[in-house]
Amino acid sequence: MIPTLATAPTPCLVLDEARMNRNIARLHARLEGTGVVFRPHLKTAKCIEVARRLMTSPAGPAMVSTLREAEEFAAAGVVDLTYGVGIAPDKLDRVAAIRAGGCDLAVLIDSVEQAEALTRRGDCIPALIEIDCDGHRSGVVPEDAARLLAIARALPPGGPRGVLTHGGESYNARSAAALRAAAEGERLAVVRAAAILREAGFACPVVSAGSTPTFLAAESFEGLTEFRAGVSVFFDLFQAGVGVCGPEEIALSVLTEVIGHQSAKGWTITDAGWMAMSRDRGTASQAVDQGYGVVLDIAGRPLGETIVIAANQEHGIVAARPGSGAPAPAPPIGARLRVLPNHACATAAQYDRYLVVGAETGEIIAEWPRFGGW
Amino acid sequence: MIPTLATAPTPCLVLDEARMNRNIARLHARLEGTGVVFRPHLKTAKCIEVARRLMTSPAGPAMVSTLREAEEFAAAGVVDLTYGVGIAPDKLDRVAAIRAGGCDLAVLIDSVEQAEALTRRGDCIPALIEIDCDGHRSGVVPEDAARLLAIARALPPGGPRGVLTHGGESYNARSAAALRAAAEGERLAVVRAAAILREAGFACPVVSAGSTPTFLAAESFEGLTEFRAGVSVFFDLFQAGVGVCGPEEIALSVLTEVIGHQSAKGWTITDAGWMAMSRDRGTASQAVDQGYGVVLDIAGRPLGETIVIAANQEHGIVAARPGSGAPAPAPPIGARLRVLPNHACATAAQYDRYLVVGAETGEIIAEWPRFGGW
């Protein structure tokens, strides 16, 4: 039996279907008429129902962050996947098994060693070369043409399926101009890498860029064949802090219940602590620190300047934002609240299902399972 | 088939059985001859195999942080449980169902409203009154005798089963003297509350204190009937930073694999990002910031000053500790490492099993399932 917002055991994860659908429509509209393929990242959703709505077709394409995701989505009929974390050779048997099931799963490499491991196998697992556009983590800088070509030449004949970059530093952008610059830097890095490979005779059919902030800020997709974004299916307070969405677009919240008060301090205690919200405090480094999340009423309406100011494992401490001078709310024991998360990926990972709230009644209309692990 | 440290899919959670057994022996020895009952907190373990070793009997007593834990451990034969998070009235049907199955599950309250909700039911669910010993979160301050007695009088005849406090502020102690003071403050608060109740005619049979730091630092247990501790079964870098264990006593680590390098920066990239380690950065506020964890070799031996300096969702960035001047390690792609976590509760929560490494061979000898959720 599907519970209601008033009866669902708390804490639990609520997904606002109408907001999600609007976010997806915005993503799809972004690339319309550009000829650039949308390859959504499914690491945030980890749910077949969400994936089917987010992908441009039930068969893909899509991006994953774990082989567990690849296995789950391949089993659900997705036939075009990229595993977006550098591959270790001993994971290749698992990749081959997924491919043998009919899914065209590609891997990511940024070293000659990885290319040689693929060549030694002889089973034609396709690889993209990761390009480092901003020093954020992995990848070859496009200026290092020698390394780029050495990797391509160490692959089986035909070379890489393409090049791929992730503008992770865009998460630290603090203005619209900085976001646009990050998007352009991401595009130029991967286009330049593709040009180097093509000049050397490699076809390099795929030129892939992507991050939620750059996807929404980019002014040009020229030279790209595909774009990726993940968290934008739900959004979160961190993305709102970056400026790529408003809090009213965040589709995910944690339903929680009041379990006590410390009235002298203006605190309301709830049953959504950091286990329910995750330990992600990404907004702590932004202009507005949202604590462990922004507190709404049960219907999702704002409650003034109310946030989760602190959290223990299974206790949330709800109060007016420090320094706001706002009145401290004190909903009674048993009252239900919803909390917008700092980071959709981290918060959703704490749950095994989404309780989907429909637009028409504002009530739970479905439970969608989600998975975790590797 | 049980995998080996060399073949287990990474990232995965490794439990060093010998270290765990030594930690448990230390906990059990702590209360020997005192007449004080040890009620371990099972919120860290969430695993029946670990619980059976940690409890003083297979039937309990024990403490839990979620009703899911209560249900799982009750089903496994534990008959004496305390749910250590303030109860909301609409959770009481679930509590009653667990009790009907033969488990004496007690709840925690700190308000007249909660006491009245219990009285209205008439099914004699036992309640402890939570005492606030340090302003950390919930509870009645022992100085507020009027509130304490009002709660006790709102309960069914007989009053509360007892009083309980958690010295959560001990986690912020920065010296042995501060830890001893926190332990004594915790003890005195709950003993004083019990005295107030007993003077008013309530039996108040249980006087319960507990936190890992105060358990290990306490000089006196006088007046207490039971003590609780949880994370001490595994320990973690945060507890090492508090000074209650050494890093060589930490029983939990994440097994990970090298997937790349950024040699110019001295970085090694692994497949254990924040999803594998959790977002917990508790050591950031301590004297030694351990990043996302301390890196060991596959056998659990230290690798100098090597830590996870940064993490993305599925990428860990391993390097020499900033400022240490230590040489940067560069294990090859495919090499396996182990990472000690900041916070055992948060890291373990990311996994559905423990891979248990035995002392004799230093290899995996068992897989123990663990659960999550609420």
Side-chain angles (χ1 to χ4, degrees), chain A residues 43 88 90-91 111 114 135-139 257 259 262 265 271 279-280 312-315 333 336 343 350 374, chain B residues 43 88 90-91 111 114 135-139 257 259 262 265 271 274 279-280 312-315 333 336 343 350 374:
Chain A
K43 75 185 173 81
D90 71 3
K91 289 193 171 86
S111 69
Q114 289 163 302
H136 186 67
R137 59 178 185 219
S138 306
E257 186 165 52
I259 60 168
Q262 292 289 21
K265 297 173 181 166
D271 65 359
R279 268 293 199 193
D280 198 296
N312 293 175
Q313 184 160 337
E314 301 292 351
H315 296 76
I333 288 175
R336 289 177 167 228
H343 189 171
Q350 308 296 96
W374 292 269
Chain B
K43 75 185 174 79
D90 70 3
K91 289 193 171 86
S111 70
Q114 288 162 303
H136 187 67
R137 58 179 185 218
S138 307
E257 187 165 50
I259 59 169
Q262 291 289 21
K265 297 173 182 166
D271 65 358
W274 59 252
R279 268 294 199 193
D280 199 297
N312 293 175
Q313 185 161 337
E314 301 292 350
H315 296 76
I333 288 175
R336 288 176 168 229
H343 188 171
Q350 308 297 98
W374 292 269

Short mmCIF file of all heavy atoms in Angstrom, two decimals, chain A residues 43 88 90-91 111 114 135-139 257 259 262 265 271 279-280 312-315 333 336 343 350 374, chain B residues 43 88 90-91 111 114 135-139 257 259 262 265 271 274 279-280 312-315 333 336 343 350 374:
data_model
loop_
_atom_site.label_atom_id
_atom_site.label_comp_id
_atom_site.label_asym_id
_atom_site.label_seq_id
_atom_site.Cartn_x
_atom_site.Cartn_y
_atom_site.Cartn_z
N LYS A 43 24.02 8.82 -12.27
CA LYS A 43 24.59 8.58 -10.93
C LYS A 43 23.75 9.22 -9.84
O LYS A 43 23.80 8.77 -8.69
CB LYS A 43 26.02 9.11 -10.86
CG LYS A 43 26.15 10.63 -10.75
CD LYS A 43 27.60 11.07 -10.80
CE LYS A 43 27.73 12.59 -10.87
NZ LYS A 43 27.60 13.26 -9.58
N ALA A 88 40.08 0.52 -14.13
CA ALA A 88 41.21 -0.31 -13.69
C ALA A 88 41.11 -1.62 -14.45
O ALA A 88 40.01 -2.14 -14.66
CB ALA A 88 41.13 -0.56 -12.19
N ASP A 90 41.43 -4.70 -13.80
CA ASP A 90 40.71 -5.87 -13.28
C ASP A 90 39.19 -5.67 -13.25
O ASP A 90 38.47 -6.57 -12.85
CB ASP A 90 41.28 -6.32 -11.93
CG ASP A 90 40.97 -5.36 -10.81
OD1 ASP A 90 40.27 -4.36 -11.04
OD2 ASP A 90 41.44 -5.62 -9.68
N LYS A 91 38.71 -4.50 -13.68
CA LYS A 91 37.25 -4.33 -13.85
C LYS A 91 36.80 -4.69 -15.26
O LYS A 91 35.60 -4.69 -15.55
CB LYS A 91 36.86 -2.87 -13.57
CG LYS A 91 36.96 -2.46 -12.09
CD LYS A 91 36.25 -1.12 -11.87
CE LYS A 91 36.14 -0.77 -10.39
NZ LYS A 91 37.32 -0.08 -9.86
N SER A 111 45.70 6.95 -19.59
CA SER A 111 47.10 6.51 -19.52
C SER A 111 47.38 5.45 -20.57
O SER A 111 46.47 4.74 -21.02
CB SER A 111 47.41 5.93 -18.13
OG SER A 111 46.74 4.71 -17.96
N GLN A 114 46.52 1.85 -19.30
CA GLN A 114 45.12 1.41 -19.48
C GLN A 114 44.86 1.02 -20.93
O GLN A 114 44.18 0.03 -21.21
CB GLN A 114 44.16 2.52 -19.05
CG GLN A 114 44.12 2.74 -17.54
CD GLN A 114 43.49 4.10 -17.20
OE1 GLN A 114 43.97 5.14 -17.64
NE2 GLN A 114 42.44 4.08 -16.40
N GLY A 135 41.95 21.06 -14.36
CA GLY A 135 42.76 20.63 -13.21
C GLY A 135 41.97 20.00 -12.09
O GLY A 135 42.47 19.81 -10.99
N HIS A 136 40.69 19.66 -12.38
CA HIS A 136 39.81 19.22 -11.29
C HIS A 136 40.18 17.84 -10.76
O HIS A 136 40.17 17.62 -9.56
CB HIS A 136 38.37 19.25 -11.79
CG HIS A 136 37.37 18.97 -10.72
ND1 HIS A 136 37.14 19.83 -9.68
CD2 HIS A 136 36.53 17.92 -10.53
CE1 HIS A 136 36.20 19.32 -8.89
NE2 HIS A 136 35.82 18.17 -9.39
N ARG A 137 40.45 16.89 -11.66
CA ARG A 137 40.83 15.55 -11.17
C ARG A 137 41.62 14.79 -12.23
O ARG A 137 42.81 15.04 -12.35
CB ARG A 137 39.61 14.76 -10.66
CG ARG A 137 38.52 14.55 -11.69
CD ARG A 137 37.35 13.73 -11.12
NE ARG A 137 36.38 13.44 -12.16
CZ ARG A 137 35.07 13.44 -12.00
NH1 ARG A 137 34.54 13.70 -10.82
NH2 ARG A 137 34.25 13.16 -13.00
N SER A 138 41.01 13.89 -12.98
CA SER A 138 41.74 13.02 -13.90
C SER A 138 41.88 13.67 -15.27
O SER A 138 41.35 14.76 -15.53
CB SER A 138 40.98 11.70 -14.07
OG SER A 138 40.73 11.12 -12.82
N GLY A 139 42.57 12.94 -16.19
CA GLY A 139 42.58 13.35 -17.58
C GLY A 139 43.89 13.92 -18.05
O GLY A 139 44.76 14.32 -17.27
N GLU A 257 9.95 14.31 10.82
CA GLU A 257 8.92 14.48 11.84
C GLU A 257 9.55 15.14 13.06
O GLU A 257 10.68 14.83 13.42
CB GLU A 257 8.42 13.07 12.19
CG GLU A 257 7.26 13.01 13.10
CD GLU A 257 6.64 11.61 13.08
OE1 GLU A 257 7.38 10.63 13.27
OE2 GLU A 257 5.43 11.51 12.90
N ILE A 259 10.39 15.58 16.80
CA ILE A 259 10.44 14.65 17.95
C ILE A 259 10.72 15.37 19.26
O ILE A 259 10.76 14.73 20.31
CB ILE A 259 11.49 13.53 17.72
CG1 ILE A 259 12.89 14.12 17.53
CG2 ILE A 259 11.11 12.67 16.52
CD1 ILE A 259 14.01 13.07 17.59
N GLN A 262 14.00 22.26 22.15
CA GLN A 262 14.77 22.91 23.21
C GLN A 262 14.36 24.38 23.10
O GLN A 262 15.01 25.18 22.42
CB GLN A 262 16.28 22.72 23.00
CG GLN A 262 16.79 21.30 23.19
CD GLN A 262 16.77 20.83 24.65
OE1 GLN A 262 16.06 21.36 25.50
NE2 GLN A 262 17.57 19.81 24.94
N LYS A 265 16.46 27.61 23.42
CA LYS A 265 17.43 27.86 22.34
C LYS A 265 16.76 28.11 20.99
O LYS A 265 17.46 28.34 20.00
CB LYS A 265 18.35 26.64 22.20
CG LYS A 265 19.21 26.35 23.42
CD LYS A 265 19.93 25.02 23.20
CE LYS A 265 20.78 24.66 24.40
NZ LYS A 265 21.22 23.25 24.36
N ASP A 271 13.60 13.92 13.30
CA ASP A 271 14.22 12.60 13.12
C ASP A 271 15.02 12.51 11.82
O ASP A 271 15.36 11.40 11.39
CB ASP A 271 13.17 11.48 13.21
CG ASP A 271 12.15 11.52 12.08
OD1 ASP A 271 12.23 12.41 11.23
OD2 ASP A 271 11.26 10.64 12.07
N ARG A 279 26.13 13.60 4.99
CA ARG A 279 27.08 14.50 5.65
C ARG A 279 27.49 15.65 4.73
O ARG A 279 28.38 16.42 5.09
CB ARG A 279 28.33 13.72 6.04
CG ARG A 279 28.29 13.14 7.43
CD ARG A 279 28.31 14.23 8.48
NE ARG A 279 28.72 13.71 9.78
CZ ARG A 279 28.57 14.40 10.91
NH1 ARG A 279 28.03 15.60 10.89
NH2 ARG A 279 28.96 13.88 12.04
N ASP A 280 26.87 15.76 3.56
CA ASP A 280 27.30 16.77 2.58
C ASP A 280 26.99 18.17 3.10
O ASP A 280 25.84 18.51 3.37
CB ASP A 280 26.63 16.54 1.23
CG ASP A 280 27.36 17.25 0.12
OD1 ASP A 280 27.42 18.50 0.15
OD2 ASP A 280 27.91 16.56 -0.77
N ASN A 312 22.96 15.40 14.27
CA ASN A 312 23.62 14.19 14.77
C ASN A 312 23.18 13.04 13.86
O ASN A 312 22.48 13.28 12.88
CB ASN A 312 23.21 13.92 16.21
CG ASN A 312 23.71 14.97 17.19
OD1 ASN A 312 23.39 14.94 18.35
ND2 ASN A 312 24.50 15.94 16.73
N GLN A 313 23.59 11.83 14.21
CA GLN A 313 23.31 10.74 13.28
C GLN A 313 21.81 10.63 12.95
O GLN A 313 21.46 10.51 11.77
CB GLN A 313 23.83 9.40 13.84
CG GLN A 313 23.66 8.23 12.86
CD GLN A 313 24.57 7.06 13.18
OE1 GLN A 313 25.60 7.20 13.83
NE2 GLN A 313 24.20 5.87 12.72
N GLU A 314 20.96 10.67 13.95
CA GLU A 314 19.52 10.53 13.71
C GLU A 314 18.73 11.69 14.30
O GLU A 314 17.52 11.56 14.53
CB GLU A 314 19.01 9.18 14.26
CG GLU A 314 19.69 7.94 13.65
CD GLU A 314 19.36 7.69 12.18
OE1 GLU A 314 18.47 8.37 11.64
OE2 GLU A 314 20.02 6.83 11.58
N HIS A 315 19.37 12.81 14.58
CA HIS A 315 18.70 14.01 15.08
C HIS A 315 19.04 15.18 14.18
O HIS A 315 20.23 15.44 13.93
CB HIS A 315 19.20 14.40 16.48
CG HIS A 315 18.92 13.41 17.57
ND1 HIS A 315 19.65 12.25 17.72
CD2 HIS A 315 18.02 13.43 18.59
CE1 HIS A 315 19.18 11.59 18.78
NE2 HIS A 315 18.21 12.29 19.33
N ILE A 333 5.36 18.38 18.39
CA ILE A 333 5.83 16.99 18.25
C ILE A 333 4.87 16.24 17.34
O ILE A 333 3.65 16.35 17.49
CB ILE A 333 5.93 16.32 19.63
CG1 ILE A 333 7.13 16.91 20.39
CG2 ILE A 333 6.07 14.81 19.51
CD1 ILE A 333 7.27 16.41 21.82
N ARG A 336 5.01 17.23 10.61
CA ARG A 336 5.90 16.78 9.53
C ARG A 336 6.43 17.96 8.73
O ARG A 336 5.71 18.92 8.46
CB ARG A 336 5.18 15.77 8.65
CG ARG A 336 5.02 14.47 9.42
CD ARG A 336 4.26 13.39 8.71
NE ARG A 336 4.47 12.15 9.46
CZ ARG A 336 4.81 10.99 8.91
NH1 ARG A 336 4.93 10.88 7.60
NH2 ARG A 336 5.02 9.93 9.66
N HIS A 343 22.89 18.41 -1.44
CA HIS A 343 23.45 17.70 -2.59
C HIS A 343 22.59 16.48 -2.89
O HIS A 343 22.57 15.52 -2.11
CB HIS A 343 24.89 17.29 -2.25
CG HIS A 343 25.63 16.74 -3.42
ND1 HIS A 343 26.97 16.47 -3.40
CD2 HIS A 343 25.21 16.41 -4.67
CE1 HIS A 343 27.34 15.99 -4.58
NE2 HIS A 343 26.30 15.94 -5.36
N GLN A 350 21.27 7.77 0.49
CA GLN A 350 20.95 7.22 1.81
C GLN A 350 19.64 6.41 1.80
O GLN A 350 19.27 5.86 2.83
CB GLN A 350 20.84 8.35 2.85
CG GLN A 350 22.04 9.31 2.89
CD GLN A 350 23.32 8.63 3.30
OE1 GLN A 350 24.14 8.23 2.48
NE2 GLN A 350 23.51 8.47 4.59
N TRP A 374 28.32 -0.75 -5.48
CA TRP A 374 29.24 -0.76 -6.61
C TRP A 374 29.16 -2.08 -7.37
O TRP A 374 29.86 -2.34 -8.27
CB TRP A 374 30.67 -0.55 -6.10
CG TRP A 374 30.81 0.85 -5.57
CD1 TRP A 374 31.22 1.94 -6.29
CD2 TRP A 374 30.52 1.33 -4.26
NE1 TRP A 374 31.19 3.07 -5.48
CE2 TRP A 374 30.78 2.72 -4.24
CE3 TRP A 374 30.07 0.73 -3.09
CZ2 TRP A 374 30.59 3.50 -3.10
CZ3 TRP A 374 29.89 1.50 -1.97
CH2 TRP A 374 30.15 2.87 -1.98
N LYS B 43 24.21 1.18 16.39
CA LYS B 43 24.00 2.04 15.22
C LYS B 43 25.20 2.06 14.30
O LYS B 43 25.06 2.34 13.12
CB LYS B 43 23.67 3.47 15.66
CG LYS B 43 24.86 4.27 16.16
CD LYS B 43 24.43 5.63 16.70
CE LYS B 43 25.58 6.38 17.34
NZ LYS B 43 26.48 7.04 16.40
N ALA B 88 8.37 9.87 18.38
CA ALA B 88 7.19 10.59 17.91
C ALA B 88 6.00 9.64 18.09
O ALA B 88 6.12 8.44 17.84
CB ALA B 88 7.35 10.98 16.45
N ASP B 90 3.47 8.79 16.40
CA ASP B 90 3.02 7.88 15.33
C ASP B 90 4.01 6.74 15.06
O ASP B 90 3.75 5.91 14.20
CB ASP B 90 2.64 8.64 14.06
CG ASP B 90 3.82 9.24 13.34
OD1 ASP B 90 4.97 9.03 13.79
OD2 ASP B 90 3.60 9.93 12.33
N LYS B 91 5.12 6.71 15.78
CA LYS B 91 6.02 5.54 15.69
C LYS B 91 5.66 4.47 16.73
O LYS B 91 6.25 3.39 16.73
CB LYS B 91 7.47 5.97 15.90
CG LYS B 91 8.07 6.79 14.75
CD LYS B 91 9.60 6.89 14.89
CE LYS B 91 10.25 7.50 13.67
NZ LYS B 91 10.28 8.97 13.71
N SER B 111 9.41 15.20 26.97
CA SER B 111 8.30 16.17 27.04
C SER B 111 7.06 15.52 27.65
O SER B 111 6.88 14.29 27.59
CB SER B 111 7.96 16.69 25.63
OG SER B 111 7.35 15.66 24.87
N GLN B 114 4.87 13.71 24.95
CA GLN B 114 5.22 12.31 24.64
C GLN B 114 4.74 11.38 25.75
O GLN B 114 4.24 10.28 25.48
CB GLN B 114 6.74 12.18 24.46
CG GLN B 114 7.27 12.81 23.17
CD GLN B 114 8.77 13.03 23.24
OE1 GLN B 114 9.27 13.71 24.15
NE2 GLN B 114 9.50 12.49 22.28
N GLY B 135 24.01 20.36 26.79
CA GLY B 135 23.46 21.26 25.76
C GLY B 135 23.63 20.75 24.35
O GLY B 135 23.44 21.51 23.39
N HIS B 136 23.98 19.47 24.20
CA HIS B 136 24.33 18.97 22.87
C HIS B 136 23.14 18.86 21.94
O HIS B 136 23.23 19.21 20.77
CB HIS B 136 25.02 17.61 23.01
CG HIS B 136 25.57 17.08 21.74
ND1 HIS B 136 26.61 17.68 21.08
CD2 HIS B 136 25.21 16.00 20.98
CE1 HIS B 136 26.88 16.99 19.98
NE2 HIS B 136 26.04 15.99 19.89
N ARG B 137 22.02 18.32 22.45
CA ARG B 137 20.83 18.23 21.58
C ARG B 137 19.56 18.15 22.43
O ARG B 137 19.09 19.18 22.87
CB ARG B 137 20.96 17.09 20.58
CG ARG B 137 21.16 15.72 21.18
CD ARG B 137 21.25 14.61 20.10
NE ARG B 137 21.32 13.30 20.73
CZ ARG B 137 22.08 12.30 20.29
NH1 ARG B 137 22.82 12.44 19.22
NH2 ARG B 137 22.06 11.14 20.90
N SER B 138 19.00 16.95 22.61
CA SER B 138 17.70 16.81 23.28
C SER B 138 17.87 16.69 24.79
O SER B 138 18.98 16.65 25.31
CB SER B 138 17.00 15.55 22.75
OG SER B 138 16.93 15.56 21.35
N GLY B 139 16.72 16.59 25.48
CA GLY B 139 16.74 16.26 26.89
C GLY B 139 16.38 17.39 27.83
O GLY B 139 16.41 18.56 27.47
N GLU B 257 41.24 0.89 -5.31
CA GLU B 257 42.13 0.51 -6.38
C GLU B 257 42.60 1.78 -7.09
O GLU B 257 41.81 2.72 -7.26
CB GLU B 257 41.33 -0.37 -7.34
CG GLU B 257 42.11 -1.01 -8.43
CD GLU B 257 41.29 -2.13 -9.08
OE1 GLU B 257 40.13 -1.90 -9.45
OE2 GLU B 257 41.84 -3.22 -9.21
N ILE B 259 43.30 4.07 -10.12
CA ILE B 259 42.76 4.13 -11.48
C ILE B 259 43.47 5.18 -12.33
O ILE B 259 43.15 5.33 -13.51
CB ILE B 259 41.24 4.41 -11.49
CG1 ILE B 259 40.91 5.74 -10.80
CG2 ILE B 259 40.48 3.26 -10.83
CD1 ILE B 259 39.47 6.20 -11.00
N GLN B 262 47.93 11.98 -11.61
CA GLN B 262 48.27 13.30 -12.15
C GLN B 262 49.66 13.57 -11.58
O GLN B 262 49.82 14.20 -10.52
CB GLN B 262 47.26 14.37 -11.71
CG GLN B 262 45.87 14.23 -12.31
CD GLN B 262 45.81 14.56 -13.80
OE1 GLN B 262 46.81 14.53 -14.52
NE2 GLN B 262 44.62 14.86 -14.29
N LYS B 265 51.21 16.82 -10.19
CA LYS B 265 50.67 17.32 -8.93
C LYS B 265 50.94 16.38 -7.76
O LYS B 265 50.54 16.68 -6.63
CB LYS B 265 49.15 17.48 -9.06
CG LYS B 265 48.70 18.51 -10.09
CD LYS B 265 47.18 18.45 -10.23
CE LYS B 265 46.70 19.43 -11.28
NZ LYS B 265 45.31 19.16 -11.67
N ASP B 271 39.46 4.63 -6.91
CA ASP B 271 38.02 4.49 -7.11
C ASP B 271 37.23 4.61 -5.80
O ASP B 271 36.05 4.22 -5.77
CB ASP B 271 37.69 3.18 -7.84
CG ASP B 271 38.03 1.93 -7.04
OD1 ASP B 271 38.55 2.07 -5.91
OD2 ASP B 271 37.79 0.82 -7.54
N TRP B 274 33.89 10.12 -2.39
CA TRP B 274 33.12 10.36 -1.16
C TRP B 274 31.94 9.41 -1.03
O TRP B 274 31.43 9.22 0.08
CB TRP B 274 32.71 11.82 -1.00
CG TRP B 274 31.85 12.41 -2.09
CD1 TRP B 274 32.25 13.33 -3.01
CD2 TRP B 274 30.46 12.17 -2.34
NE1 TRP B 274 31.20 13.64 -3.85
CE2 TRP B 274 30.10 12.97 -3.45
CE3 TRP B 274 29.49 11.37 -1.75
CZ2 TRP B 274 28.80 12.97 -3.98
CZ3 TRP B 274 28.20 11.36 -2.28
CH2 TRP B 274 27.87 12.16 -3.38
N ARG B 279 30.65 11.54 3.11
CA ARG B 279 31.01 12.95 3.07
C ARG B 279 31.53 13.44 4.42
O ARG B 279 31.73 14.65 4.59
CB ARG B 279 29.78 13.77 2.69
CG ARG B 279 29.62 14.03 1.21
CD ARG B 279 30.72 14.90 0.68
NE ARG B 279 30.36 15.52 -0.60
CZ ARG B 279 31.23 16.12 -1.39
NH1 ARG B 279 32.51 16.19 -1.06
NH2 ARG B 279 30.84 16.66 -2.52
N ASP B 280 31.70 12.54 5.39
CA ASP B 280 32.09 12.98 6.73
C ASP B 280 33.51 13.53 6.74
O ASP B 280 34.45 12.85 6.38
CB ASP B 280 31.97 11.82 7.73
CG ASP B 280 31.91 12.31 9.15
OD1 ASP B 280 32.88 12.93 9.62
OD2 ASP B 280 30.86 12.11 9.79
N ASN B 312 35.79 13.27 -5.21
CA ASN B 312 34.56 13.47 -5.99
C ASN B 312 33.68 12.25 -5.69
O ASN B 312 34.04 11.40 -4.88
CB ASN B 312 34.88 13.55 -7.48
CG ASN B 312 35.68 14.80 -7.86
OD1 ASN B 312 36.07 14.96 -8.98
ND2 ASN B 312 35.93 15.70 -6.91
N GLN B 313 32.55 12.18 -6.37
CA GLN B 313 31.62 11.10 -6.01
C GLN B 313 32.27 9.72 -6.08
O GLN B 313 32.13 8.93 -5.16
CB GLN B 313 30.38 11.16 -6.91
CG GLN B 313 29.30 10.15 -6.52
CD GLN B 313 27.92 10.48 -7.06
OE1 GLN B 313 27.63 11.62 -7.38
NE2 GLN B 313 27.06 9.49 -7.15
N GLU B 314 32.97 9.43 -7.16
CA GLU B 314 33.59 8.11 -7.30
C GLU B 314 35.10 8.20 -7.56
O GLU B 314 35.69 7.24 -8.08
CB GLU B 314 32.90 7.31 -8.42
CG GLU B 314 31.40 7.07 -8.21
CD GLU B 314 31.05 6.15 -7.04
OE1 GLU B 314 31.96 5.51 -6.49
OE2 GLU B 314 29.85 6.09 -6.69
N HIS B 315 35.72 9.30 -7.25
CA HIS B 315 37.16 9.48 -7.39
C HIS B 315 37.73 9.94 -6.05
O HIS B 315 37.24 10.93 -5.49
CB HIS B 315 37.51 10.59 -8.39
CG HIS B 315 37.08 10.35 -9.81
ND1 HIS B 315 35.78 10.46 -10.22
CD2 HIS B 315 37.81 10.03 -10.91
CE1 HIS B 315 35.73 10.21 -11.53
NE2 HIS B 315 36.93 9.95 -11.97
N ILE B 333 48.64 1.82 -11.54
CA ILE B 333 47.23 1.54 -11.84
C ILE B 333 46.95 0.08 -11.52
O ILE B 333 47.72 -0.81 -11.89
CB ILE B 333 46.92 1.86 -13.33
CG1 ILE B 333 46.92 3.37 -13.52
CG2 ILE B 333 45.59 1.25 -13.76
CD1 ILE B 333 46.74 3.82 -14.96
N ARG B 336 46.22 -1.91 -5.06
CA ARG B 336 45.14 -1.80 -4.08
C ARG B 336 45.64 -1.16 -2.78
O ARG B 336 46.76 -1.43 -2.34
CB ARG B 336 44.52 -3.17 -3.82
CG ARG B 336 43.71 -3.58 -5.04
CD ARG B 336 43.11 -4.94 -5.01
NE ARG B 336 42.15 -5.03 -6.10
CZ ARG B 336 40.91 -5.48 -5.97
NH1 ARG B 336 40.47 -5.93 -4.82
NH2 ARG B 336 40.10 -5.50 -7.01
N HIS B 343 34.94 8.58 10.04
CA HIS B 343 33.82 8.29 10.92
C HIS B 343 33.23 6.94 10.55
O HIS B 343 32.62 6.79 9.49
CB HIS B 343 32.78 9.41 10.77
CG HIS B 343 31.68 9.32 11.78
ND1 HIS B 343 30.74 10.30 11.95
CD2 HIS B 343 31.36 8.36 12.69
CE1 HIS B 343 29.90 9.94 12.90
NE2 HIS B 343 30.25 8.77 13.35
N GLN B 350 27.58 3.31 3.92
CA GLN B 350 27.59 3.31 2.46
C GLN B 350 27.63 1.88 1.89
O GLN B 350 27.60 1.72 0.67
CB GLN B 350 28.79 4.10 1.94
CG GLN B 350 28.93 5.52 2.52
CD GLN B 350 27.78 6.43 2.16
OE1 GLN B 350 26.84 6.61 2.94
NE2 GLN B 350 27.80 6.99 0.98
N TRP B 374 15.56 3.02 7.59
CA TRP B 374 14.82 3.34 8.81
C TRP B 374 13.64 2.41 9.00
O TRP B 374 12.85 2.53 9.86
CB TRP B 374 14.33 4.79 8.74
CG TRP B 374 15.50 5.72 8.81
CD1 TRP B 374 16.02 6.27 9.96
CD2 TRP B 374 16.32 6.20 7.75
NE1 TRP B 374 17.12 7.03 9.65
CE2 TRP B 374 17.33 7.01 8.31
CE3 TRP B 374 16.32 6.00 6.38
CZ2 TRP B 374 18.31 7.63 7.54
CZ3 TRP B 374 17.30 6.61 5.61
CH2 TRP B 374 18.27 7.41 6.19
#
